[in-house]
Amino acid sequence: MACDPAIGARTAHGFGGHYEWAHPLALSVMQTELSPYGEASSHPSPVSRMMAEFAGTFRDGVDINLGVGYVNEQTIPVAALIEALQGVVDCPEKYRQAFNYGSPAGSANLIASIKRFLLTQRAGQLDAATLARLQLSIGACGATSILDALTDVLPPGIVVTSDPMYYIYTESLLRKGFEVLAVPEDEEGIDLVVLARKLEALGSEARRISFFYTVTVNNPSCTLLSNRRRRALLDVATEISRRQGRQIPIFYDLAYELLLHDPAAEPFVSVLPSDEVGIAYEIGTLSKVLAPSLRIGYLLGPAGPLMSAMIQSTSDTGFSAPLFVQEMASYLLDNCIAAQLMWVNADYRAKAVAVLEGIREYLGPYLQECRGGRAGFYFYLTLKDVETCPGSDFFRFLMRTTGDAELDGATGQRNPSVIYIPGEYCVHPQGDLAERGKRQLRLSYAFEPVPRILQALELMRAAVDYSRK
Ligand SMILES: Cc1ncc(COP(=O)(O)O)c(C=O)c1O
């Protein structure tokens, strides 16, 4: 086949220089050069591998998945979604060119709807004057795209977060060349004493702190970041910013905040009104209370270069979140959200109570600690003396890979398997919780119905017995 020498000359050795064409067969075994991020991303993370392997053999109605972060399908308001789409189509004067490109800051309708929503549904937590002062922008694809964009617009460096960590994000931070300073949490969130000690130990390296990141209902532990702790964290970030003469941003990830279903819990209060130096941002999402597939997330914080860069990054990623979906979300917030929030929270509350009873019944004597169940949809368990990590007896029992046919089931008729997220994947591998993480696990009570979760807990009890033999 004839090649165009001009192209070959340009790509191989510059204009007019000597060049050689690699044989197509030789090319096929060569590797494409990747960036450090591309290289790190070309191997799936251990947890992705585990989930993919499990998904490959998962049997609906037989195996039990307590590992996925999926929401409860029953809480997705399908009829309201259809109504919202029709509502958008029926009102082109309000929802203008809804099937065309959108603007990178987000739909004006949706931004107004979220602000109204925050003022009514988070009344007393965020005041109108603060909201008016701040800028709100819609991410390209959920809160995840906002978290991802932070790694493009902020300088690589140290990210201070809690341990256990939101492993999906911290894993991607590491691939992007960031370092993670994971600070163990207590029952109110990041432990301030340990945080102070770790910051002190950084010495001059503290100049490399890129940002603070905290999840207000932590994933995986569902620990509620108390109001005084979220304020204290802002004070810490403010103090370091003052000392270093630069603004170090702090991001509060509110992913599960609208799922505060324990009526005894103190309502959350935003720190944004107290942010004197303009470093605090909130990242919200509609995924957990409406539908993850809407992919609507927002960033709320001070207008300025960081916010502008984030908006540009949305444009670079895909111009904007799909406009008709933004308009649908606006419609849903304006018309259906109050009832939806009540329904979703009632559903998770009932499940949390039933599952907690099951945890006590089946695992009670073997538990060192049980977190969660007040907001969001995870429990995070620490077993006293049984390891949960991949390769452990507990894990192999539940994955049915012990090698004992009686426990695993006959070939082609494997006994029911249970998947969970091992704590080992959630804690910093070199952090203070590395050892403890080996006895921890996250279980989700969102996706599976209660009877199946109870069945899984009974199997976990059998796995504990097997491990302790
Ligand atoms: C802590 C946390 N932040 C963000 C997200 C992602 O939200 P979104 O669906 O809006 O991308 C999740 C999803 O599970 C999460 O757990």
Side-chain angles (χ1 to χ4, degrees), residues 118-136:
L118 293 178
L119 280 179
T120 51
Q121 296 299 324
R122 294 181 74 202
Q125 305 171 31
L126 197 51
D127 59 286
T130 303
L131 258 186
R133 166 169 68 78
L134 299 176
Q135 190 169 358
L136 193 151

PDB file of all heavy atoms in Angstrom, residues 118-136:
ATOM      1  N   LEU A 118     -32.635  24.680  47.899  1.00  0.00           N
ATOM      2  CA  LEU A 118     -31.762  24.790  49.068  1.00  0.00           C
ATOM      3  C   LEU A 118     -32.380  25.697  50.122  1.00  0.00           C
ATOM      4  O   LEU A 118     -32.280  25.445  51.325  1.00  0.00           O
ATOM      5  CB  LEU A 118     -30.380  25.322  48.659  1.00  0.00           C
ATOM      6  CG  LEU A 118     -29.544  24.381  47.776  1.00  0.00           C
ATOM      7  CD1 LEU A 118     -28.216  25.023  47.381  1.00  0.00           C
ATOM      8  CD2 LEU A 118     -29.288  23.047  48.470  1.00  0.00           C
ATOM      9  N   LEU A 119     -33.047  26.733  49.671  1.00  0.00           N
ATOM     10  CA  LEU A 119     -33.654  27.664  50.625  1.00  0.00           C
ATOM     11  C   LEU A 119     -34.857  27.055  51.328  1.00  0.00           C
ATOM     12  O   LEU A 119     -35.106  27.339  52.509  1.00  0.00           O
ATOM     13  CB  LEU A 119     -34.093  28.942  49.913  1.00  0.00           C
ATOM     14  CG  LEU A 119     -32.978  29.929  49.654  1.00  0.00           C
ATOM     15  CD1 LEU A 119     -33.495  31.151  48.920  1.00  0.00           C
ATOM     16  CD2 LEU A 119     -32.312  30.355  50.967  1.00  0.00           C
ATOM     17  N   THR A 120     -35.600  26.199  50.635  1.00  0.00           N
ATOM     18  CA  THR A 120     -36.794  25.627  51.273  1.00  0.00           C
ATOM     19  C   THR A 120     -36.461  24.326  52.002  1.00  0.00           C
ATOM     20  O   THR A 120     -36.786  24.169  53.170  1.00  0.00           O
ATOM     21  CB  THR A 120     -37.904  25.367  50.238  1.00  0.00           C
ATOM     22  OG1 THR A 120     -37.340  24.614  49.147  1.00  0.00           O
ATOM     23  CG2 THR A 120     -38.486  26.645  49.698  1.00  0.00           C
ATOM     24  N   GLN A 121     -35.733  23.426  51.315  1.00  0.00           N
ATOM     25  CA  GLN A 121     -35.481  22.118  51.929  1.00  0.00           C
ATOM     26  C   GLN A 121     -34.334  22.170  52.938  1.00  0.00           C
ATOM     27  O   GLN A 121     -34.199  21.283  53.756  1.00  0.00           O
ATOM     28  CB  GLN A 121     -35.171  21.072  50.854  1.00  0.00           C
ATOM     29  CG  GLN A 121     -36.317  20.806  49.909  1.00  0.00           C
ATOM     30  CD  GLN A 121     -37.554  20.278  50.632  1.00  0.00           C
ATOM     31  OE1 GLN A 121     -37.448  19.526  51.584  1.00  0.00           O
ATOM     32  NE2 GLN A 121     -38.728  20.698  50.171  1.00  0.00           N
ATOM     33  N   ARG A 122     -33.506  23.168  52.822  1.00  0.00           N
ATOM     34  CA  ARG A 122     -32.423  23.282  53.811  1.00  0.00           C
ATOM     35  C   ARG A 122     -32.614  24.592  54.577  1.00  0.00           C
ATOM     36  O   ARG A 122     -31.639  25.246  54.961  1.00  0.00           O
ATOM     37  CB  ARG A 122     -31.049  23.231  53.127  1.00  0.00           C
ATOM     38  CG  ARG A 122     -30.767  21.880  52.481  1.00  0.00           C
ATOM     39  CD  ARG A 122     -29.407  21.852  51.844  1.00  0.00           C
ATOM     40  NE  ARG A 122     -28.347  21.770  52.835  1.00  0.00           N
ATOM     41  CZ  ARG A 122     -27.084  22.138  52.605  1.00  0.00           C
ATOM     42  NH1 ARG A 122     -26.743  22.627  51.440  1.00  0.00           N
ATOM     43  NH2 ARG A 122     -26.171  22.037  53.548  1.00  0.00           N
ATOM     44  N   ALA A 123     -33.886  24.894  54.810  1.00  0.00           N
ATOM     45  CA  ALA A 123     -34.197  26.145  55.519  1.00  0.00           C
ATOM     46  C   ALA A 123     -33.463  26.154  56.859  1.00  0.00           C
ATOM     47  O   ALA A 123     -33.437  25.160  57.568  1.00  0.00           O
ATOM     48  CB  ALA A 123     -35.696  26.244  55.718  1.00  0.00           C
ATOM     49  N   GLY A 124     -32.864  27.271  57.187  1.00  0.00           N
ATOM     50  CA  GLY A 124     -32.151  27.368  58.455  1.00  0.00           C
ATOM     51  C   GLY A 124     -30.714  26.878  58.339  1.00  0.00           C
ATOM     52  O   GLY A 124     -29.911  27.032  59.252  1.00  0.00           O
ATOM     53  N   GLN A 125     -30.370  26.253  57.231  1.00  0.00           N
ATOM     54  CA  GLN A 125     -29.019  25.722  57.074  1.00  0.00           C
ATOM     55  C   GLN A 125     -28.193  26.614  56.157  1.00  0.00           C
ATOM     56  O   GLN A 125     -26.974  26.638  56.229  1.00  0.00           O
ATOM     57  CB  GLN A 125     -29.077  24.316  56.486  1.00  0.00           C
ATOM     58  CG  GLN A 125     -29.946  23.379  57.305  1.00  0.00           C
ATOM     59  CD  GLN A 125     -30.170  22.054  56.597  1.00  0.00           C
ATOM     60  OE1 GLN A 125     -29.320  21.597  55.865  1.00  0.00           O
ATOM     61  NE2 GLN A 125     -31.307  21.452  56.822  1.00  0.00           N
ATOM     62  N   LEU A 126     -28.903  27.298  55.264  1.00  0.00           N
ATOM     63  CA  LEU A 126     -28.233  28.138  54.269  1.00  0.00           C
ATOM     64  C   LEU A 126     -29.165  29.319  54.019  1.00  0.00           C
ATOM     65  O   LEU A 126     -30.319  29.114  53.651  1.00  0.00           O
ATOM     66  CB  LEU A 126     -28.043  27.294  52.996  1.00  0.00           C
ATOM     67  CG  LEU A 126     -27.046  27.753  51.965  1.00  0.00           C
ATOM     68  CD1 LEU A 126     -25.685  28.041  52.572  1.00  0.00           C
ATOM     69  CD2 LEU A 126     -26.888  26.669  50.901  1.00  0.00           C
ATOM     70  N   ASP A 127     -28.685  30.535  54.249  1.00  0.00           N
ATOM     71  CA  ASP A 127     -29.583  31.685  54.150  1.00  0.00           C
ATOM     72  C   ASP A 127     -29.559  32.309  52.756  1.00  0.00           C
ATOM     73  O   ASP A 127     -28.634  32.075  51.966  1.00  0.00           O
ATOM     74  CB  ASP A 127     -29.175  32.735  55.198  1.00  0.00           C
ATOM     75  CG  ASP A 127     -27.747  33.166  54.975  1.00  0.00           C
ATOM     76  OD1 ASP A 127     -26.824  32.385  55.280  1.00  0.00           O
ATOM     77  OD2 ASP A 127     -27.544  34.262  54.451  1.00  0.00           O
ATOM     78  N   ALA A 128     -30.575  33.111  52.491  1.00  0.00           N
ATOM     79  CA  ALA A 128     -30.743  33.685  51.153  1.00  0.00           C
ATOM     80  C   ALA A 128     -29.582  34.623  50.796  1.00  0.00           C
ATOM     81  O   ALA A 128     -29.127  34.646  49.643  1.00  0.00           O
ATOM     82  CB  ALA A 128     -32.068  34.438  51.091  1.00  0.00           C
ATOM     83  N   ALA A 129     -29.095  35.373  51.771  1.00  0.00           N
ATOM     84  CA  ALA A 129     -28.023  36.333  51.460  1.00  0.00           C
ATOM     85  C   ALA A 129     -26.762  35.591  51.037  1.00  0.00           C
ATOM     86  O   ALA A 129     -26.081  35.985  50.066  1.00  0.00           O
ATOM     87  CB  ALA A 129     -27.738  37.192  52.686  1.00  0.00           C
ATOM     88  N   THR A 130     -26.450  34.495  51.723  1.00  0.00           N
ATOM     89  CA  THR A 130     -25.257  33.721  51.356  1.00  0.00           C
ATOM     90  C   THR A 130     -25.428  33.148  49.951  1.00  0.00           C
ATOM     91  O   THR A 130     -24.519  33.217  49.118  1.00  0.00           O
ATOM     92  CB  THR A 130     -25.019  32.570  52.368  1.00  0.00           C
ATOM     93  OG1 THR A 130     -24.895  33.138  53.658  1.00  0.00           O
ATOM     94  CG2 THR A 130     -23.772  31.783  52.031  1.00  0.00           C
ATOM     95  N   LEU A 131     -26.612  32.582  49.719  1.00  0.00           N
ATOM     96  CA  LEU A 131     -26.864  31.989  48.400  1.00  0.00           C
ATOM     97  C   LEU A 131     -26.733  33.028  47.285  1.00  0.00           C
ATOM     98  O   LEU A 131     -26.195  32.740  46.214  1.00  0.00           O
ATOM     99  CB  LEU A 131     -28.270  31.398  48.354  1.00  0.00           C
ATOM    100  CG  LEU A 131     -28.390  29.890  48.487  1.00  0.00           C
ATOM    101  CD1 LEU A 131     -29.829  29.474  48.277  1.00  0.00           C
ATOM    102  CD2 LEU A 131     -27.487  29.156  47.500  1.00  0.00           C
ATOM    103  N   ALA A 132     -27.218  34.219  47.563  1.00  0.00           N
ATOM    104  CA  ALA A 132     -27.169  35.276  46.547  1.00  0.00           C
ATOM    105  C   ALA A 132     -25.723  35.676  46.260  1.00  0.00           C
ATOM    106  O   ALA A 132     -25.367  36.049  45.144  1.00  0.00           O
ATOM    107  CB  ALA A 132     -27.967  36.484  47.017  1.00  0.00           C
ATOM    108  N   ARG A 133     -24.892  35.597  47.285  1.00  0.00           N
ATOM    109  CA  ARG A 133     -23.488  36.001  47.159  1.00  0.00           C
ATOM    110  C   ARG A 133     -22.652  34.956  46.401  1.00  0.00           C
ATOM    111  O   ARG A 133     -21.655  35.276  45.770  1.00  0.00           O
ATOM    112  CB  ARG A 133     -22.964  36.202  48.593  1.00  0.00           C
ATOM    113  CG  ARG A 133     -21.495  36.316  48.819  1.00  0.00           C
ATOM    114  CD  ARG A 133     -21.224  36.773  50.269  1.00  0.00           C
ATOM    115  NE  ARG A 133     -21.556  35.797  51.298  1.00  0.00           N
ATOM    116  CZ  ARG A 133     -20.817  34.748  51.604  1.00  0.00           C
ATOM    117  NH1 ARG A 133     -19.709  34.481  50.937  1.00  0.00           N
ATOM    118  NH2 ARG A 133     -21.163  33.931  52.592  1.00  0.00           N
ATOM    119  N   LEU A 134     -23.081  33.690  46.461  1.00  0.00           N
ATOM    120  CA  LEU A 134     -22.266  32.604  45.905  1.00  0.00           C
ATOM    121  C   LEU A 134     -22.669  32.271  44.473  1.00  0.00           C
ATOM    122  O   LEU A 134     -23.745  32.642  44.014  1.00  0.00           O
ATOM    123  CB  LEU A 134     -22.408  31.357  46.786  1.00  0.00           C
ATOM    124  CG  LEU A 134     -21.938  31.526  48.232  1.00  0.00           C
ATOM    125  CD1 LEU A 134     -22.221  30.271  49.035  1.00  0.00           C
ATOM    126  CD2 LEU A 134     -20.450  31.867  48.294  1.00  0.00           C
ATOM    127  N   GLN A 135     -21.792  31.514  43.807  1.00  0.00           N
ATOM    128  CA  GLN A 135     -22.108  31.073  42.443  1.00  0.00           C
ATOM    129  C   GLN A 135     -22.388  29.573  42.468  1.00  0.00           C
ATOM    130  O   GLN A 135     -21.760  28.818  43.221  1.00  0.00           O
ATOM    131  CB  GLN A 135     -20.927  31.366  41.516  1.00  0.00           C
ATOM    132  CG  GLN A 135     -21.278  31.148  40.061  1.00  0.00           C
ATOM    133  CD  GLN A 135     -20.221  31.688  39.107  1.00  0.00           C
ATOM    134  OE1 GLN A 135     -19.216  32.276  39.523  1.00  0.00           O
ATOM    135  NE2 GLN A 135     -20.438  31.473  37.822  1.00  0.00           N
ATOM    136  N   LEU A 136     -23.345  29.177  41.641  1.00  0.00           N
ATOM    137  CA  LEU A 136     -23.675  27.751  41.558  1.00  0.00           C
ATOM    138  C   LEU A 136     -23.506  27.317  40.103  1.00  0.00           C
ATOM    139  O   LEU A 136     -24.036  27.954  39.198  1.00  0.00           O
ATOM    140  CB  LEU A 136     -25.114  27.550  42.032  1.00  0.00           C
ATOM    141  CG  LEU A 136     -25.559  26.116  42.326  1.00  0.00           C
ATOM    142  CD1 LEU A 136     -26.646  26.107  43.402  1.00  0.00           C
ATOM    143  CD2 LEU A 136     -26.034  25.379  41.108  1.00  0.00           C
TER     144      LEU A 136
END
